[in-house]
Amino acid sequence: MLVELGHYALVLAFALTLVVSVVPLWGALKGDGRLMAVATPVSVTVFFLVLVSFAVLTVAYVASDFSVVNVYENSHSAKPLLFKITGVWGNHEGSMLLWVLILVFFGALVGVFGGNLPDDLRATTLAVQGWISAGFLLFLLATSNPFNRYENPPIEGNDLNPILQDIGLAIHPPLLYVGYVGFSITFSFAVAALILGRTDAAWARWVRPWTLLAWSFLTLGIAMGSYWAYYELGWGGWWFWDPVENASFMPWLAGTALLHSAIVMEKREALKVWTVLLAIFTFSLSLLGAFLVRSGVLTSVHAFATDPSRGVFILGLLCLFIGGSLSLFAWRAPMLKQGGLFAPISREGGLVLNNLFLTAATAAVLVGTLYPLVLDAITGEMISVGEPFFNLTFGPLMVPLLMAVPFGPILAWKRGDLLAASQRLYAAFGLALLMTLFTFWLWGMERVLAPLGVGLAVWVMAGAISEIVTRVKFFEIGPKRGFARLYGLPGSAWGTATAHFGIGVTVLGIVTSSAFQEEQVRTMRPGDTVNVSGYELTFDGAVPRRGPNFVEEVGHFTVREGGAFVAEMKPSKRVYTARQMPTTEAAIHTTGFSQVYVSLGERRNDGAVDVRAYYKPLITLIWIGCVIMALGAAFSMADRRLRVGAPKPATKRKQTASVPAE
């Protein structure tokens, strides 16, 4: 009976999304406050109904109710409780239910916390969010119902994919989905603005905190997924340019461009057309990611489904939402009034340059991801687009962008002085040059580009610090007043500097771990020792061990440095008994920001084992930098100016809507 309640809650939620899709929008167009007032309570009710449905499915997993098809196919009674819970979204149907839960959660958030929004904008935004929710609820009910039952329930389940039986499944998908789906609100704001003709500085200020929230969670989600693949798959890499990895990276790039474009629109009422278009494109790329993961058009460890019928349904939603929004944009965009003018050398100009490089980088990743699929569909020819392509297209676009990052926040609005900005960055440039020369001295000329990459990372980090020093004017007003000004800096200033510093930290981790890592691949017998960058790894043998739903061979390695004991590492090879699927469990020892990484390969008949050992200098900076970036977004969201409504116009001209409502 409980399972049927979960199914009924989804059906009722779908019916209510149809109500919120029509009634508030009609009220907004007719100026009827009573109809607009329907939006918030109905949106909150939809969220609670989907939450009930999700809770019911979770209870079915915890109780190992194998009468539910979804539970039978993805769970096992011997599975640990944590993996029973995370298994709820470790499959197509459950993950889609989580997707919808987060989708309607954002609608409820706007309804509850959008009190500073004009009634018509809030009602229209929730109506558009209702359209999206209705589409995906219909997709769940029609093609991916998680509550289908067996008439004769089996005794035991098939177990969850062994790769997913990890703490990463508890963290990565929820973070990623909040980011993915969070951009639906910016999409809904954009479509609502086009419908109502409300595209002004106030609209940009209302959109920015929601964009920051989605962007920060997507940053953390991508970082967690990268680290999960790094330690779980045993291959020693943290990014493979897999199509599904790219599908999450493209909305991040577009969302980053949207954040910067919204700043220009808020401060100068410029780039209106571009900002609205970016809001549409960012969520469109999220929808594209959902299509790639669930359509069966590609095979990946990240892919959830291979049913073409589901892919056709999502493709229909993709065409409806993207095509409809772009058609509306094409109709309304010519009526958008342009905002204030600015010189090419200005903060606005720097943000425009940022957008150009980010959108070009997004296009490069999009082409590299879709080209093999399109070529296969048209000609039947199968090719692989991998790291060399992306290194030659994406990399060169990032270098000039990173070089320009420190200049942007230091330049003045409307008209800046490039020479004055350069003078404020002398110290940052000097430190970057010093680190470049030091890296050349340390590693020689074997890797010419790596020291330049280190210098570029230091340039970005030092530039972020210079931004704060410039704002506070330490050297002009003295330390006492300087610290007072430091305390009084707005959250957005701290957020910008922190996020830019985090980018530099991540770049430093990428460069050093990629260019200076050391790898040893050996077949080792008990007693053998391999040296990896000064660490001596002695193989002491392998012993069998049984887990709750798996058996494994655990290798024992003693790690020494200069003869002194450092650590014991225990990589393993597991076989999960229900599915008879093997997995590799790498062992990682962290020293400072660097790591020693060991994974086991095939075991030989004579007791020897294939071993892959790495030393990865400063690799943890990759993920630490992502956390710092997300922290920067949190600082920006804490800025009270994002909570007090529209900014006051710089001049006394009457502020009007950019597009007539009629």
Side-chain angles (χ1 to χ4, degrees):
M1 181 64 185
L2 189 63
V3 173
E4 281 68 32
L5 175 63
H7 186 199
Y8 176 72
L10 278 185
V11 175
L12 188 55
F14 171 68
L16 288 179
T17 56
L18 297 180
V19 173
V20 80
S21 299
V22 176
V23 175
L25 177 60
W26 184 257
L29 295 176
K30 295 298 180 181
D32 190 327
R34 292 173 301 175
L35 295 181
M36 288 189 283
V38 169
T40 295
V42 174
S43 296
V44 173
T45 303
V46 169
F47 164 66
F48 278 110
L49 286 171
V50 178
L51 181 63
V52 167
S53 181
F54 188 83
V56 167
L57 185 61
T58 303
V59 169
Y61 266 84
V62 172
S64 295
D65 184 356
F66 299 123
S67 69
V68 180
V69 176
N70 185 260
V71 178
Y72 164 74
E73 292 178 346
N74 300 283
S75 192
H76 192 278
S77 59
K79 194 168 63 172
L81 177 61
L82 173 64
F83 300 147
K84 286 183 179 180
I85 296 173
T86 59
V88 173
W89 56 81
N91 58 87
H92 168 70
E93 292 83 1
S95 69
M96 204 66 238
L97 183 58
L98 177 63
W99 211 95
V100 172
L101 177 64
I102 295 172
L103 181 67
V104 297
F105 176 62
F106 270 94
L109 283 180
V110 171
V112 173
F113 296 105
N116 63 334
L117 297 172
D119 291 340
D120 58 345
L121 180 61
R122 179 169 58 175
T124 307
T125 299
L126 291 178
V128 176
Q129 192 77 359
W131 301 344
I132 304 170
S133 302
F136 280 96
L137 279 167
L138 182 60
F139 173 71
L140 259 180
L141 294 169
T143 71
S144 309
N145 187 356
F147 298 106
N148 286 334
R149 290 262 207 176
Y150 282 118
E151 291 185 7
N152 299 308
I155 298 175
E156 191 53 87
N158 280 342
D159 206 1
L160 181 65
N161 185 332
I163 295 177
L164 300 179
Q165 295 191 38
D166 185 86
I167 187 64
L169 184 63
I171 305 172
H172 168 57
L175 289 176
L176 194 69
Y177 286 7
V178 172
Y180 254 157
V181 183
F183 283 120
S184 65
I185 281 295
T186 61
F187 173 88
S188 297
F189 267 109
V191 173
L194 290 172
I195 292 173
L196 299 175
R198 188 185 294 273
T199 52
D200 52 17
W203 178 87
R205 174 159 292 186
W206 290 319
V207 166
R208 201 147 69 88
W210 299 101
T211 308
L212 282 166
L213 180 64
W215 182 88
S216 61
F217 274 91
L218 186 57
T219 302
L220 294 174
I222 293 173
M224 181 61 215
S226 167
Y227 190 66
W228 183 15
Y230 167 70
Y231 73 75
E232 175 65 23
L233 299 181
W235 59 307
W238 53 273
W239 192 262
F240 194 62
W241 292 107
D242 179 279
V244 181
E245 291 176 339
N246 296 347
S248 64
F249 190 42
M250 287 185 289
W252 186 87
L253 291 170
T256 306
L258 173 60
L259 278 176
H260 292 83
S261 181
I263 294 173
V264 178
M265 183 174 173
E266 177 186 342
K267 297 292 185 182
R268 301 284 300 151
E269 292 202 45
L271 302 184
K272 294 179 182 179
V273 172
W274 180 240
T275 304
V276 172
L277 187 61
L278 274 177
I280 293 172
F281 275 154
T282 302
F283 183 60
S284 299
L285 290 170
S286 297
L287 292 177
L288 177 64
F291 171 73
L292 291 175
V293 173
R294 304 170 193 281
S295 64
V297 300
L298 55 86
T299 301
S300 165
V301 295
H302 305 85
F304 276 117
T306 57
D307 185 353
S309 63
R310 291 170 174 170
V312 171
F313 199 111
I314 295 182
L315 185 61
L317 292 177
L318 204 69
C319 294
L320 177 64
F321 294 133
I322 298 177
S325 60
L326 291 179
S327 298
L328 178 63
F329 175 81
W331 173 44
R332 300 291 263 174
M335 294 181 283
L336 295 178
K337 296 180 181 179
Q338 294 302 316
L341 299 177
F342 53 87
I345 304 300
S346 62
R347 190 176 300 185
E348 296 96 326
L351 293 171
V352 169
L353 182 69
N354 160 286
N355 270 223
L356 290 175
F357 280 110
L358 284 173
T359 51
T362 306
V365 177
L366 181 65
V367 170
T369 303
L370 296 186
Y371 178 71
L373 303 178
V374 174
L375 186 66
D376 181 29
I378 295 176
T379 67
E381 181 182 354
M382 299 185 67
I383 65 169
S384 176
V385 175
E387 185 176 353
F389 170 83
F390 293 104
N391 287 346
L392 290 173
T393 55
F394 182 82
L397 289 170
M398 289 297 100
V399 172
L401 174 60
L402 292 174
M403 292 175 63
V405 163
F407 285 98
I410 293 179
L411 289 171
W413 292 105
K414 194 172 181 179
R415 183 179 299 277
D417 187 336
L418 188 59
L419 179 59
S422 301
Q423 291 172 344
R424 293 169 185 158
L425 292 169
Y426 277 165
F429 180 77
L431 182 59
L433 180 61
L434 185 63
M435 288 303 300
T436 302
L437 295 176
F438 176 74
T439 310
F440 269 118
W441 174 79
L442 196 63
W443 293 96
M445 299 295 293
E446 294 180 5
R447 303 174 179 90
V448 176
L449 294 179
L452 298 177
V454 170
L456 184 60
V458 173
W459 162 250
V460 174
M461 289 187 287
I465 297 173
S466 297
E467 176 190 345
I468 295 295
V469 172
T470 300
R471 281 178 172 269
V472 173
K473 300 180 180 179
F474 263 117
F475 303 110
E476 299 176 23
I477 63 176
K480 185 176 180 180
R481 293 179 60 193
F483 279 110
R485 286 177 61 93
L486 191 68
Y487 178 78
L489 282 180
S492 59
W494 282 111
T496 300
T498 303
H500 288 175
F501 187 86
I503 291 172
V505 172
T506 294
V507 171
L508 182 61
I510 292 172
V511 171
T512 53
S513 63
S514 301
F516 304 128
Q517 76 169 8
E518 184 174 331
E519 177 186 7
Q520 295 286 349
V521 181
R522 300 285 181 85
T523 299
M524 301 182 69
R525 294 172 176 79
D528 288 352
T529 299
V530 62
N531 188 291
V532 184
S533 192
Y535 289 93
E536 301 157 1
L537 279 67
T538 301
F539 179 46
D540 300 320
V543 296
R545 186 168 66 184
R546 177 174 291 276
N549 60 338
F550 60 84
V551 294
E552 64 179 345
E553 286 280 334
V554 182
H556 289 260
F557 291 82
T558 301
V559 183
R560 296 180 176 86
E561 185 179 16
F565 175 83
V566 174
E568 185 178 5
M569 302 181 69
K570 298 179 180 180
S572 68
K573 293 283 289 187
R574 289 181 181 177
V575 176
Y576 285 77
T577 52
R579 295 201 180 196
Q580 288 298 304
M581 286 182 62
T583 65
T584 299
E585 304 295 322
I588 299 173
H589 173 67
T590 303
T591 57
F593 297 117
S594 304
Q595 291 184 335
V596 178
Y597 181 107
V598 181
S599 65
L600 298 181
E602 296 299 321
R603 183 178 177 86
R604 308 297 177 88
N605 294 331
D606 60 356
V609 178
D610 294 335
V611 176
R612 189 181 294 268
Y614 299 90
Y615 176 70
K616 296 179 174 290
L618 305 184
I619 190 169
T620 58
L621 293 182
I622 296 173
W623 303 292
I624 292 173
C626 292
V627 173
I628 294 173
M629 283 186 249
L631 183 63
F635 286 152
S636 292
M637 284 186 285
D639 193 326
R640 65 177 298 274
R641 293 177 298 177
L642 294 180
R643 302 191 298 272
V644 297
K648 294 181 180 180
T651 65
K652 295 182 179 180
R653 68 180 184 275
K654 184 179 179 181
Q655 189 173 1
T656 58
S658 300
V659 179
E662 293 290 324

